[in-house]
Structure formats: structure tokens, C-alpha cells
Amino acid sequence: MQLQMNLVEEACKELYIRALKILPDDIKAGIDQLDKSETDKRAQVVLKTMITNISVAEREDNLLCQDTGLPIYNVKIGSNVQFDGMALKAAIRKGCERATKEYPLRSSVVHPITRKNNHTSCGIDMPAIHIDFCDDVESVEIEMVPKGSGSENNSFLKMAIPADGISGVKAFVIESVVSAGGKTCPPTIVGVGIGGTSDQCVAMAKRAATRALGSTCSDEEGAKLERELSAAVNKLGIGPQGLGGDGTAFAVHVELAHTHITLNPVAVNMQCHSARRARATITPSGVNFGF
Amino acid sequence: MAHYNLPTPVSEEDIRKLRINDTVTLQNTLFGIRDATQIHMFDHGRKTRFDLNGHAVIHTAPNVRKVPVNSEFPAGYQPICIGTTTSDRMERFTKPLMTQNGVRMIVGKGGMREGSSQAFQELGGVYLAIIGGTAALETTWIEQIEDVDMDDLNPESLWRFKIKDFGPLLVAMDSHGGSIYQEVKGDVARNKDAVLKSLGIHS
């Protein structure tokens, strides 16, 4: 299959708007589940309001949250696809810019020094584009994640040392969630990266935070740690919106990479209760949208 | 745990009645303000032509559509999606906002810190918590964007919204030193020790 860039551009435009409007089913189910098990009265009201908001957004065909976030596009390209890499990046950027101008969406992107807003959601190395490949496939999958600042501002990296062990990693996760409190719009998905290099570790934490609810770490030790930390985090009492209660996190997700013998890095990135994402798959027969 | 229907502007007396866990529904006018707005007002000395005395501000940068000025859209902006951002980033502006502009209510999410609590006690103010991330719902409480100042900072301009039945909002910090966030913080600190112990970590 030869990848048609006009399809990529259209899909990337559509994905940004869809991601902001329609919450994935796993997240909706996650909120419902927390609502059923919540014991705190005030937290119950908070969760009910979140559920109402999802239905108002659908009814009014409006955005779930005013924060259009930093736009992130994760692209997975099958090995049976021919494409021009530079043209692909340009098409993604164009789609993001068109969504912002044509809808119009609030551009949340500014120059980091002058703070000037181009009102395009684009700029130097923005949108964030991550490209990966998969074997023997004739399709391209594009996932769009608008990453809100409340949760993104509470991102943490610690270059722990081997003597800190896994205890140091666990303590850092708990410390990070406590320090974020209500600022991340809990209930959150707590993404944890463990191992790799410092940059890989942060990227893994982000990937973990945006993984679908119900999915587990492919490594057995990682999956075990996910269960242990999920239970622990929900005993802290931060609660929805940091106003107290049981539902502090939907889940803790862990991603791992092997690391250096003298390193023990751990990173935390969180996704708010409006854990938005949207996905398009481009195949020889056209474009399909989903989560 | 009383409920109050408050038309703006409000008096100090109105504010002193409010206690944490009460709920409030606002009527009339609400001003949208954010990081850049306050950096320009208080770090760069920029003055606003709006009278904020006795009013409520909400931490927001809305999604809007530019349209021709008419009676429905007097500021030339149609609201698309208006929601609330994290207040904590704007902690250092609470006091100047109250002393220089007479603001009495801050609507936000995530809570504010000790400096804001002090200002609320000294000057008679409250922090009203809205549920963050529920902007679709919040937008239905806003009738119109009536006016805009510091338009060049868009979307972080100073917005004047005409509101109807804006709420219920939770009084999360009051003018008597009460703060739900402080209470939760204390509970979390106590729970944290037990959580760390359950993970085999002894601090």
C-alpha cells in the first residue's frame, strides 16, 4: 500500500476533534465502576458530575474539557506500507493545524521563551509525533492524545540508584501521587516508567498513562507491580478532584525497559479523569475511526 | 452545609457567611482570568478597564469562535467550550487580585495554598471548587461572552461572562481559615504512612 498523505491529513484533523469530544468506552466504564464503589458522599457527587459532563458533551456535541492540551500523535506503520517520512510528518502537522483553525479549537501551544501563541496548536517540534513500525502489516494506525496541562504539569522523574531497589521506585510513585493531589483532576491513570535511559523512562511513563484501562504490562513482574500499586494508591484518600474519597486512580500502569547496572530510573506521568484519546486505522480500503 | 444563591457583586458580609462544605450558585457576572492575564496585570502593571470589585473570577482560558459583533455576541466571541484550569499555578496572584481589584470569590479546581487562605481570612474571600474537566456542563451555565479586555492575550484574556445558575459550586476554602484541601492533606499524610508500610517500605 502506498500511503496517501491527504488521508493522513484528514484523519489527523478529525482525530484531534474526536479525541476532545468522545471519551473512550474503557474510561467511561472506569468512571462508572469507581462511582459504584465510592463510599465518600462528597466524592460520589463529584463522580456523578463527571458522568453528567460526558452525556452533556455527547448531547451538545461539545468538547469534554476546555483544555485542548498538547497534541500528541503516535503512529504505527506496517512493513507493507510505502511512504515518504517527511511528507508524513508534514501531513500530521497540517491536520493538527486545520483542526485548530477550522473547528476552531483553542490553541494551547506557545513558544517556550516568548510565550507567543501562533493559534495553530503547532510550533517547534509540536505536535509531538512518535513513529514506530510493525511487521508484515498493510495498514497505518494513528493514535491522537490531547494531553491536558493539569496532569502533564505533574510529571516526575527520579534517577534512583540500585541501592534504592524496587522500594525506592514504589515510594517515589506514592510520593508523586501525593504531591499531585487534586491538581491532576483525579481519578487518574498513573503511568509509571521503570528502567531504560532517562528519556526512555519518561516516554514509557507517558505510554503507560495513555494505555487503555483493563490492559496490563506485558512483563509479569510489571503486571504484579501494577496490581500492588493500584491498590496502594487508592488507599491514600485523595479522592476525585482531591476533595477526599476512595477513587484516586482508575489504575496504575507500568511500562518497563532493561537498564544499566548502575541505574534505577523511575518516571511518573498521569492522565486525568477525562483520559481522552482517539485512533484511526488507514488500510487500502479507507480510514476507520475508534479508540 | 447550606446552599446560597449569590447574585454578583457580593459584599464582605455575604462572604463571611460562607463555610466550607456549603454550596453556592452564582448569578449575573463572572470574570475569566488565567496565568498570562495575571502575569500582565501584576508583573507588568497592566490595568483592566473592568470593575472587579466584589466579583468572582474563574481560572479559565476558553475555546471561543470569533464572530461579528451583534446583540447576541457583544464582544465578538461565541463561546464553544468554557472550563476551569488548575488554580495552584496562580497562587501568588490571590492577594493582589483581592487588594488591588477587590475580587471576593475565586472559582477554580485543585485548590489553593496557605497564602490564599490568609488573604481570604484577612480580606473576606472564598475559593469555590468546580469539578475540573467538566467543561461541557459548565458551558451550559454561561449565557454569553459580554466583553473582553486584554484581547491580545487570547485565550488568556480577561473575559466577562454573563451567567445563569452557575453551579452548584463547593465552598472549599472559606474566610475563617477552613480548607477542605488542608483537611484532605492531613488525612492523606496519615494514610501515606500506612500505605508505605503495606508496600514494605519503612520511612
Side-chain angles (χ1 to χ4, degrees), chain A residues 42 46 49-50 52-53 56-57 60 62-66 68 103-107 117 119 149-150 153 167 170-171 174-175 178 182-183 185 228-229 232 235-238 241-244 273-274, chain B residues 21 34 60-65 80-86 88-89 109-110 129-137 139-140 154-155 170 172 180-181 184 187-188 191-192 195-196 198-201:
Chain A
R42 191 161 57 210
V46 174
T49 308
M50 290 172 179
T52 304
N53 184 63
V56 171
E60 308 268 328
N62 202 353
L63 316 183
L64 289 148
C65 177
Q66 85 292 344
T68 52
Y103 185 82
L105 301 172
R106 181 190 96 186
S107 170
N117 191 329
H119 298 283
S149 82
N153 255 336
S167 291
K170 291 177 189 173
I174 298 299
E175 204 55 65
V178 168
K183 291 177 285 182
C185 262
E228 194 184 3
L229 287 175
K235 285 188 193 121
L236 288 170
I238 295 167
Q241 290 292 312
L243 292 165
H273 72 85
S274 206
Chain B
N21 289 314
R34 229 186 41 163
T60 185
N63 284 258
V64 293
R65 180 179 282 121
I80 295 178
C81 182
I82 301 173
T84 312
T85 196
T86 312
D88 184 76
R89 297 192 309 270
K109 66 112 171 160
I130 200 163
I131 311 301
T134 63
L137 176 64
T139 308
T140 65
N154 185 353
L170 176 70
I180 294 177
Y181 302 101
V184 172
D187 293 343
V188 171
N191 294 338
K192 192 178 113 185
V195 166
L196 289 175
S198 76
L199 291 168
I201 302 159

Coordinates of all heavy atoms in Angstrom, one line a residue, chain A residues 42 46 49-50 52-53 56-57 60 62-66 68 103-107 117 119 149-150 153 167 170-171 174-175 178 182-183 185 228-229 232 235-238 241-244 273-274, chain B residues 21 34 60-65 80-86 88-89 109-110 129-137 139-140 154-155 170 172 180-181 184 187-188 191-192 195-196 198-201:
Chain A
R42 N -19.2 13.2 49.4 CA -18.8 14.3 48.5 C -18.2 13.8 47.2 O -18.4 14.3 46.1 CB -17.7 15.1 49.3 CG -17.4 16.4 48.6 CD -16.8 17.4 49.6 NE -15.6 16.8 50.2 CZ -15.1 17.1 51.4 NH1 -15.8 18.0 52.2 NH2 -14.0 16.6 51.9
V46 N -19.0 14.3 43.1 CA -18.0 14.7 42.1 C -18.1 13.7 40.9 O -18.1 14.1 39.8 CB -16.6 14.7 42.7 CG1 -15.5 14.9 41.7 CG2 -16.5 15.8 43.8
T49 N -21.1 14.2 38.7 CA -20.9 15.4 37.9 C -20.1 15.0 36.7 O -20.4 15.5 35.5 CB -20.3 16.5 38.7 OG1 -21.0 16.7 39.9 CG2 -20.3 17.8 37.9
M50 N -19.0 14.3 36.9 CA -18.2 13.8 35.7 C -19.0 13.0 34.7 O -18.9 13.2 33.5 CB -17.0 13.0 36.2 CG -16.0 13.8 37.0 SD -14.7 12.8 37.8 CE -13.7 14.1 38.6
T52 N -22.3 13.1 34.3 CA -23.2 14.1 33.7 C -22.5 14.8 32.5 O -23.0 15.0 31.4 CB -23.8 15.1 34.7 OG1 -24.3 14.4 35.7 CG2 -24.8 16.1 34.0
N53 N -21.2 15.3 32.8 CA -20.5 16.0 31.8 C -20.3 15.2 30.5 O -20.4 15.8 29.4 CB -19.1 16.4 32.4 CG -18.4 17.3 31.4 OD1 -18.8 18.4 31.0 ND2 -17.3 16.8 30.9
V56 N -23.5 15.4 28.7 CA -23.8 16.7 28.1 C -22.9 16.9 26.9 O -23.4 17.5 25.9 CB -23.5 17.8 29.2 CG1 -23.6 19.2 28.6 CG2 -24.5 17.7 30.3
A57 N -21.7 16.5 26.9 CA -20.7 16.7 25.8 C -21.3 16.0 24.6 O -21.3 16.5 23.5 CB -19.4 16.2 26.1
E60 N -24.7 17.9 23.5 CA -24.4 19.2 22.9 C -23.4 19.1 21.8 O -23.0 20.2 21.2 CB -23.9 20.2 24.0 CG -24.8 20.2 25.2 CD -25.9 21.3 25.1 OE1 -25.6 22.3 24.5 OE2 -27.0 21.1 25.7
N62 N -20.2 18.8 22.2 CA -19.2 19.8 22.6 C -18.0 19.1 23.1 O -18.0 17.9 23.3 CB -19.8 20.7 23.7 CG -19.1 22.0 23.8 OD1 -18.0 22.2 23.2 ND2 -19.6 22.9 24.6
L63 N -16.9 19.8 23.4 CA -15.7 19.3 23.9 C -16.0 18.9 25.4 O -16.7 19.6 26.1 CB -14.6 20.3 23.9 CG -14.4 21.1 22.6 CD1 -13.2 22.0 22.7 CD2 -14.2 20.2 21.4
L64 N -15.3 17.8 25.8 CA -15.5 17.4 27.2 C -14.8 18.4 28.2 O -15.3 18.6 29.3 CB -14.8 16.0 27.4 CG -15.5 14.8 26.7 CD1 -14.5 13.8 26.3 CD2 -16.5 14.2 27.7
C65 N -13.7 18.9 27.7 CA -12.9 19.8 28.6 C -12.3 20.9 27.8 O -12.1 20.7 26.6 CB -11.7 19.0 29.2 SG -10.6 20.0 30.2
Q66 N -12.2 22.1 28.4 CA -11.7 23.2 27.5 C -10.3 23.1 27.2 O -9.8 23.8 26.3 CB -12.0 24.6 28.3 CG -10.9 25.0 29.3 CD -10.8 24.1 30.5 OE1 -11.7 23.3 30.8 NE2 -9.7 24.1 31.3
T68 N -7.5 21.8 25.4 CA -7.2 21.1 24.2 C -5.8 20.4 24.2 O -5.5 19.6 23.3 CB -7.2 22.0 22.9 OG1 -6.4 23.1 23.2 CG2 -8.7 22.6 22.7
Y103 N -12.1 24.3 13.3 CA -13.2 23.9 14.2 C -13.9 25.2 14.8 O -15.1 25.2 14.7 CB -12.7 23.0 15.4 CG -13.9 22.5 16.2 CD1 -14.7 21.5 15.8 CD2 -14.2 23.2 17.4 CE1 -15.8 21.1 16.6 CE2 -15.3 22.8 18.1 CZ -16.1 21.8 17.7 OH -17.2 21.4 18.5
P104 N -13.3 26.2 15.4 CA -11.9 26.3 15.8 C -11.7 25.7 17.3 O -12.6 25.8 18.1 CB -11.7 27.8 15.8 CG -13.0 28.4 16.2 CD -14.1 27.4 15.7
L105 N -10.5 25.3 17.5 CA -10.1 24.8 18.9 C -9.2 25.9 19.5 O -8.5 26.6 18.7 CB -9.3 23.5 18.8 CG -10.0 22.3 18.2 CD1 -9.0 21.2 18.0 CD2 -11.2 21.9 19.0
R106 N -9.2 26.0 20.8 CA -8.3 26.9 21.5 C -6.9 26.3 21.2 O -6.6 25.1 21.5 CB -8.6 26.9 23.0 CG -7.7 27.8 23.8 CD -7.9 27.6 25.3 NE -6.9 26.6 25.8 CZ -7.0 26.2 27.1 NH1 -7.9 26.5 27.9 NH2 -6.0 25.4 27.5
S107 N -5.9 27.1 20.8 CA -4.6 26.7 20.7 C -3.9 26.8 22.0 O -3.9 27.9 22.6 CB -3.8 27.5 19.7 OG -2.4 27.2 19.8
N117 N 1.6 32.7 21.1 CA 0.7 31.7 20.7 C 0.4 31.9 19.2 O 0.0 33.0 18.8 CB -0.6 31.8 21.5 CG -1.5 30.6 21.3 OD1 -1.5 30.0 20.2 ND2 -2.3 30.2 22.3
H119 N -1.7 30.2 17.5 CA -3.1 29.8 17.3 C -3.2 28.8 16.2 O -4.2 28.7 15.5 CB -4.0 31.1 17.0 CG -4.0 32.1 18.1 ND1 -4.7 31.8 19.3 CD2 -3.3 33.2 18.3 CE1 -4.5 32.8 20.1 NE2 -3.6 33.7 19.6
S149 N -2.9 20.1 30.6 CA -1.7 20.6 31.4 C -1.8 20.3 32.9 O -0.8 20.2 33.5 CB -1.6 22.1 31.2 OG -2.5 22.8 32.0
G150 N -3.0 20.1 33.4 CA -3.2 19.8 34.8 C -2.4 18.5 35.2 O -1.7 18.5 36.1
N153 N 1.5 18.8 34.0 CA 2.4 19.6 34.9 C 2.9 18.8 36.1 O 3.8 19.2 36.8 CB 1.6 20.8 35.4 CG 2.1 22.1 34.7 OD1 3.2 22.2 34.2 ND2 1.2 23.1 34.7
S167 N 11.9 -0.8 46.3 CA 11.2 0.0 47.3 C 11.3 1.5 47.0 O 10.4 2.2 47.2 CB 11.9 -0.2 48.7 OG 11.6 -1.5 49.1
K170 N 8.7 2.3 44.3 CA 7.4 2.3 44.8 C 7.2 3.6 45.7 O 6.1 4.3 45.5 CB 7.1 1.1 45.8 CG 7.0 -0.2 45.0 CD 6.9 -1.3 46.1 CE 7.0 -2.7 45.5 NZ 7.0 -3.8 46.5
A171 N 8.1 3.9 46.5 CA 8.0 5.1 47.4 C 7.9 6.4 46.5 O 7.1 7.3 46.8 CB 9.2 5.2 48.3
I174 N 4.3 6.7 45.0 CA 3.4 7.2 46.1 C 3.6 8.7 46.4 O 2.6 9.4 46.4 CB 3.5 6.3 47.4 CG1 3.2 4.9 47.2 CG2 2.7 6.9 48.5 CD1 1.8 4.5 46.7
E175 N 4.9 9.0 46.5 CA 5.2 10.4 46.7 C 4.7 11.3 45.6 O 4.1 12.4 45.9 CB 6.7 10.5 46.8 CG 7.3 11.7 47.6 CD 6.8 11.7 49.0 OE1 7.1 10.8 49.8 OE2 6.0 12.7 49.3
V178 N 0.9 11.7 45.8 CA 0.5 12.6 47.0 C 0.8 14.1 46.6 O 0.0 14.9 46.8 CB 1.3 12.2 48.2 CG1 1.2 13.2 49.3 CG2 0.8 10.8 48.7
G182 N -5.0 17.0 44.1 CA -6.1 17.2 43.2 C -5.8 18.0 41.9 O -6.7 18.2 41.1
K183 N -4.6 18.4 41.7 CA -4.2 19.2 40.6 C -4.3 18.5 39.3 O -4.4 19.1 38.2 CB -2.8 19.8 40.8 CG -2.7 20.8 41.9 CD -1.2 21.2 42.1 CE -0.4 20.2 42.8 NZ 1.0 20.6 43.1
C185 N -6.7 16.5 38.3 CA -8.1 16.1 38.0 C -8.3 14.6 38.2 O -8.8 13.9 37.3 CB -8.5 16.5 36.6 SG -9.4 18.1 36.5
E228 N -0.3 -4.2 42.7 CA 0.1 -3.8 44.1 C 0.0 -2.2 44.2 O -0.6 -1.7 45.2 CB 1.6 -4.2 44.3 CG 2.0 -4.1 45.7 CD 3.5 -4.5 45.9 OE1 4.2 -4.7 44.9 OE2 3.9 -4.5 47.1
L229 N 0.5 -1.5 43.2 CA 0.5 0.0 43.3 C -0.9 0.5 43.1 O -1.3 1.5 43.8 CB 1.4 0.6 42.3 CG 2.9 0.5 42.6 CD1 3.8 1.0 41.4 CD2 3.3 1.2 43.9
A232 N -2.5 0.3 46.4 CA -1.9 1.2 47.4 C -2.4 2.6 47.2 O -2.8 3.3 48.1 CB -0.4 1.1 47.3
K235 N -5.6 3.8 48.5 CA -5.8 3.9 50.0 C -5.3 5.2 50.5 O -5.4 5.5 51.7 CB -5.0 2.7 50.6 CG -5.7 1.4 50.5 CD -5.1 0.3 51.3 CE -5.6 -1.1 50.9 NZ -4.5 -1.9 50.5
L236 N -4.9 6.1 49.6 CA -4.3 7.4 50.1 C -5.4 8.4 50.5 O -5.2 9.2 51.4 CB -3.5 8.0 49.0 CG -2.1 7.4 48.7 CD1 -1.5 7.9 47.4 CD2 -1.2 7.5 49.9
G237 N -6.6 8.3 49.9 CA -7.7 9.1 50.3 C -7.8 10.5 49.6 O -8.5 11.4 50.1
I238 N -7.0 10.7 48.6 CA -7.0 11.9 47.8 C -8.4 12.1 47.2 O -9.0 13.2 47.3 CB -5.9 11.9 46.7 CG1 -4.5 11.9 47.4 CG2 -6.0 13.2 45.8 CD1 -3.4 11.6 46.4
Q241 N -11.0 14.7 42.3 CA -10.7 16.2 42.4 C -9.9 16.6 43.6 O -9.8 17.8 43.9 CB -12.0 17.0 42.4 CG -12.7 17.0 41.1 CD -12.0 17.8 40.0 OE1 -11.5 18.9 40.2 NE2 -11.8 17.2 38.8
G242 N -9.3 15.6 44.3 CA -8.5 15.9 45.5 C -9.4 16.4 46.7 O -8.8 17.0 47.6
L243 N -10.7 16.1 46.6 CA -11.6 16.6 47.7 C -11.9 15.4 48.7 O -12.8 15.5 49.4 CB -12.9 17.1 47.1 CG -12.7 18.4 46.3 CD1 -14.0 18.7 45.4 CD2 -12.5 19.6 47.2
G244 N -11.1 14.4 48.7 CA -11.2 13.3 49.6 C -12.1 12.2 49.0 O -12.9 12.4 48.1
H273 N -9.1 12.4 34.7 CA -10.3 11.6 34.6 C -10.9 11.6 33.2 O -11.6 10.7 32.7 CB -11.3 11.9 35.6 CG -12.0 13.3 35.4 ND1 -13.1 13.4 34.5 CD2 -11.8 14.5 35.8 CE1 -13.5 14.6 34.5 NE2 -12.7 15.3 35.3
S274 N -10.6 12.7 32.5 CA -11.1 12.8 31.1 C -9.9 12.3 30.2 O -9.2 13.1 29.5 CB -11.4 14.2 30.7 OG -12.4 14.3 29.7
Chain B
N21 N -17.9 23.3 52.8 CA -18.9 22.3 52.6 C -20.3 22.9 52.2 O -21.2 22.2 51.9 CB -19.1 21.3 53.8 CG -17.9 20.4 53.8 OD1 -17.5 19.9 52.8 ND2 -17.4 20.2 55.0
R34 N -6.6 34.1 33.8 CA -5.7 33.0 33.8 C -4.2 33.4 34.0 O -4.0 34.5 34.4 CB -5.8 32.1 32.6 CG -5.9 30.6 33.1 CD -5.9 29.5 32.2 NE -5.0 29.5 31.1 CZ -4.7 28.4 30.4 NH1 -5.3 27.3 30.8 NH2 -3.9 28.4 29.4
T60 N -9.7 30.3 33.9 CA -10.1 29.7 32.6 C -9.4 30.3 31.5 O -9.1 31.5 31.5 CB -11.6 29.7 32.4 OG1 -12.0 29.0 31.2 CG2 -12.1 31.2 32.3
A61 N -9.3 29.6 30.4 CA -8.9 30.1 29.1 C -9.9 29.4 28.1 O -9.6 28.2 27.8 CB -7.5 29.8 28.7
P62 N -10.9 30.0 27.7 CA -12.0 29.3 27.0 C -11.7 29.0 25.5 O -10.8 29.6 24.9 CB -13.1 30.3 27.0 CG -12.5 31.6 27.1 CD -11.2 31.5 27.9
N63 N -12.4 28.1 24.9 CA -12.5 27.8 23.5 C -13.6 28.7 22.9 O -14.7 28.6 23.4 CB -12.8 26.4 23.2 CG -11.7 25.4 23.4 OD1 -11.0 25.0 22.5 ND2 -11.5 25.1 24.6
V64 N -13.2 29.6 22.0 CA -14.2 30.6 21.5 C -14.1 30.7 20.0 O -13.1 30.2 19.4 CB -13.9 32.0 22.1 CG1 -14.2 32.1 23.6 CG2 -12.5 32.5 21.8
R65 N -15.1 31.2 19.4 CA -15.1 31.4 17.9 C -15.3 32.9 17.7 O -16.2 33.5 18.3 CB -16.2 30.6 17.3 CG -16.3 30.8 15.7 CD -17.4 30.0 15.1 NE -17.1 28.6 15.0 CZ -17.7 27.5 15.6 NH1 -18.8 27.7 16.3 NH2 -17.3 26.3 15.4
I80 N -17.5 28.4 22.8 CA -17.6 27.0 22.3 C -17.5 26.1 23.5 O -18.4 25.3 23.8 CB -16.4 26.7 21.3 CG1 -16.5 27.5 20.0 CG2 -16.4 25.2 21.0 CD1 -15.4 27.3 19.0
C81 N -16.4 26.2 24.2 CA -16.3 25.3 25.4 C -15.5 26.1 26.5 O -14.3 26.5 26.3 CB -15.5 24.0 25.1 SG -15.4 22.9 26.4
I82 N -16.1 26.3 27.6 CA -15.5 27.1 28.7 C -15.4 26.2 30.0 O -16.4 25.7 30.5 CB -16.3 28.3 29.0 CG1 -16.4 29.2 27.7 CG2 -15.7 29.1 30.1 CD1 -17.3 30.4 27.8
G83 N -14.2 26.0 30.4 CA -14.0 25.1 31.6 C -12.9 25.7 32.5 O -12.4 26.8 32.2
T84 N -12.5 25.0 33.5 CA -11.7 25.5 34.6 C -10.3 24.8 34.6 O -10.3 23.6 34.6 CB -12.4 25.4 35.9 OG1 -13.7 25.9 35.7 CG2 -11.7 26.2 37.0
T85 N -9.3 25.6 34.8 CA -7.9 25.1 34.9 C -7.5 25.0 36.3 O -8.1 25.4 37.3 CB -7.0 26.0 34.0 OG1 -5.8 25.3 33.8 CG2 -6.7 27.3 34.8
T86 N -6.3 24.4 36.5 CA -5.7 24.2 37.8 C -5.3 25.6 38.5 O -4.5 26.3 37.9 CB -4.4 23.4 37.7 OG1 -4.7 22.2 36.9 CG2 -3.9 22.9 39.1
D88 N -3.7 26.2 41.3 CA -2.4 26.2 42.1 C -1.3 27.1 41.4 O -0.6 27.8 42.1 CB -1.9 24.8 42.3 CG -0.7 24.7 43.1 OD1 -0.8 24.8 44.4 OD2 0.4 24.6 42.6
R89 N -1.3 27.1 40.1 CA -0.3 27.9 39.4 C -0.4 29.4 39.6 O 0.5 30.1 39.4 CB -0.4 27.6 37.9 CG -0.2 26.2 37.4 CD 0.0 26.2 35.8 NE -1.1 26.9 35.2 CZ -2.2 26.4 34.8 NH1 -2.5 25.1 34.9 NH2 -3.2 27.1 34.2
K109 N -10.2 24.8 40.2 CA -10.1 23.4 40.6 C -8.8 23.1 41.1 O -7.8 23.7 40.8 CB -10.5 22.6 39.3 CG -9.5 22.6 38.2 CD -8.8 21.3 38.0 CE -8.0 21.4 36.7 NZ -6.9 20.4 36.7
G110 N -8.7 22.1 42.0 CA -7.5 21.6 42.5 C -7.1 22.3 43.8 O -6.2 21.8 44.5
A129 N -14.9 25.6 44.6 CA -14.4 24.5 43.8 C -15.4 24.1 42.8 O -16.6 23.9 43.1 CB -14.0 23.3 44.7
I130 N -15.0 24.0 41.5 CA -15.8 23.4 40.5 C -15.2 22.1 40.1 O -14.0 21.8 40.4 CB -15.8 24.4 39.3 CG1 -17.0 24.2 38.4 CG2 -14.5 24.4 38.5 CD1 -17.2 25.4 37.4
I131 N -15.9 21.2 39.4 CA -15.3 19.9 39.1 C -14.5 20.1 37.8 O -15.1 20.3 36.7 CB -16.4 18.8 38.9 CG1 -17.4 18.8 40.1 CG2 -15.8 17.5 38.6 CD1 -16.8 18.6 41.4
G132 N -13.2 20.0 37.9 CA -12.3 20.2 36.7 C -12.7 19.1 35.6 O -13.1 18.0 35.9
G133 N -12.5 19.5 34.4 CA -12.7 18.6 33.3 C -14.2 18.4 32.9 O -14.5 17.6 32.1
T134 N -15.1 19.2 33.5 CA -16.5 19.0 33.2 C -17.0 20.3 32.4 O -18.0 20.9 32.7 CB -17.4 18.8 34.4 OG1 -17.3 19.9 35.3 CG2 -16.9 17.6 35.2
A135 N -16.2 20.7 31.5 CA -16.4 22.0 30.8 C -17.7 21.9 29.9 O -18.3 23.0 29.7 CB -15.2 22.3 29.9
A136 N -18.1 20.8 29.4 CA -19.3 20.8 28.5 C -20.5 21.2 29.4 O -21.3 22.0 28.9 CB -19.5 19.4 28.0
L137 N -20.5 20.7 30.6 CA -21.6 21.1 31.6 C -21.5 22.5 31.9 O -22.5 23.3 31.9 CB -21.5 20.2 32.8 CG -22.4 20.4 33.9 CD1 -23.9 20.2 33.5 CD2 -22.1 19.5 35.1
T139 N -20.2 25.0 30.4 CA -20.6 25.9 29.3 C -22.1 26.2 29.2 O -22.5 27.2 28.8 CB -20.1 25.3 27.9 OG1 -18.7 24.9 28.1 CG2 -20.2 26.2 26.8
T140 N -22.9 25.2 29.7 CA -24.3 25.4 29.6 C -24.8 26.4 30.7 O -25.9 26.9 30.6 CB -25.1 24.1 29.9 OG1 -24.8 23.6 31.2 CG2 -24.7 23.0 28.9
N154 N -5.5 36.5 24.1 CA -6.4 35.4 23.7 C -5.6 34.1 23.6 O -4.6 34.0 22.9 CB -7.0 35.7 22.4 CG -8.1 34.7 22.0 OD1 -8.3 33.7 22.6 ND2 -8.8 35.0 20.9
P155 N -6.0 33.0 24.3 CA -7.2 32.8 25.0 C -7.1 33.2 26.5 O -8.1 33.1 27.2 CB -7.4 31.3 24.9 CG -6.1 30.7 24.9 CD -5.2 31.7 24.2
L170 N -18.7 24.2 45.2 CA -18.5 23.8 46.6 C -17.6 24.9 47.3 O -16.5 25.2 46.8 CB -17.8 22.4 46.6 CG -17.4 21.9 48.0 CD1 -18.6 21.5 48.8 CD2 -16.5 20.6 47.8
A172 N -14.8 25.5 49.2 CA -13.7 24.6 49.6 C -12.7 25.3 50.4 O -11.9 24.6 51.2 CB -13.0 24.0 48.3
I180 N -11.0 22.6 52.8 CA -11.2 21.1 52.6 C -9.8 20.5 52.1 O -9.5 19.4 52.5 CB -12.3 20.9 51.5 CG1 -13.6 21.3 52.1 CG2 -12.3 19.4 51.1 CD1 -14.8 21.2 51.1
Y181 N -9.1 21.3 51.3 CA -7.8 20.7 50.8 C -6.8 20.5 52.0 O -6.1 19.5 52.0 CB -7.2 21.7 49.8 CG -8.1 21.9 48.6 CD1 -8.9 23.1 48.6 CD2 -8.3 21.0 47.6 CE1 -9.8 23.3 47.5 CE2 -9.2 21.2 46.6 CZ -9.9 22.3 46.6 OH -10.8 22.5 45.5
V184 N -8.0 17.3 53.7 CA -7.7 16.1 52.9 C -6.2 15.8 53.0 O -5.7 14.7 53.2 CB -8.2 16.2 51.5 CG1 -7.6 15.1 50.6 CG2 -9.7 16.3 51.4
D187 N -5.4 14.0 56.1 CA -5.8 12.6 56.0 C -4.8 11.8 55.2 O -4.4 10.7 55.5 CB -7.2 12.5 55.4 CG -8.3 13.1 56.3 OD1 -8.0 13.3 57.5 OD2 -9.4 13.4 55.8
V188 N -4.4 12.4 54.0 CA -3.5 11.7 53.1 C -2.2 11.5 53.7 O -1.6 10.4 53.6 CB -3.4 12.5 51.8 CG1 -2.3 11.9 50.9 CG2 -4.7 12.6 51.0
N191 N -2.6 8.6 56.0 CA -2.8 7.3 55.2 C -1.5 6.9 54.5 O -1.3 5.7 54.3 CB -3.9 7.6 54.1 CG -5.2 7.8 54.7 OD1 -5.5 7.4 55.8 ND2 -6.1 8.4 53.9
K192 N -0.7 7.9 54.1 CA 0.5 7.6 53.4 C 1.5 6.7 54.1 O 2.0 5.7 53.6 CB 1.3 8.9 53.0 CG 2.4 8.7 52.0 CD 3.0 10.0 51.6 CE 4.5 10.0 52.2 NZ 5.1 11.3 52.0
V195 N 0.2 3.2 53.9 CA 0.3 2.7 52.5 C 1.8 2.3 52.3 O 2.0 1.2 51.8 CB -0.1 3.8 51.5 CG1 0.3 3.5 50.1 CG2 -1.6 4.0 51.5
L196 N 2.7 3.1 52.7 CA 4.1 2.8 52.5 C 4.5 1.5 53.3 O 5.2 0.6 52.8 CB 5.0 3.9 53.0 CG 5.0 5.2 52.1 CD1 5.8 6.3 52.6 CD2 5.5 4.8 50.7
S198 N 2.4 -0.9 54.0 CA 1.8 -2.1 53.3 C 2.6 -2.5 52.1 O 2.6 -3.6 51.6 CB 0.4 -1.7 52.9 OG 0.4 -0.9 51.7
L199 N 3.5 -1.5 51.6 CA 4.3 -1.9 50.4 C 5.7 -2.3 50.9 O 6.6 -2.5 50.1 CB 4.5 -0.6 49.5 CG 3.3 -0.1 48.8 CD1 3.5 1.2 48.2 CD2 2.9 -1.1 47.7
G200 N 5.9 -2.5 52.2 CA 7.1 -3.0 52.8 C 8.2 -1.9 52.9 O 9.4 -2.2 53.0
I201 N 7.7 -0.6 52.9 CA 8.7 0.5 53.0 C 8.5 1.2 54.4 O 7.4 1.6 54.8 CB 8.4 1.5 51.9 CG1 8.5 0.9 50.5 CG2 9.4 2.7 52.0 CD1 7.8 1.6 49.4

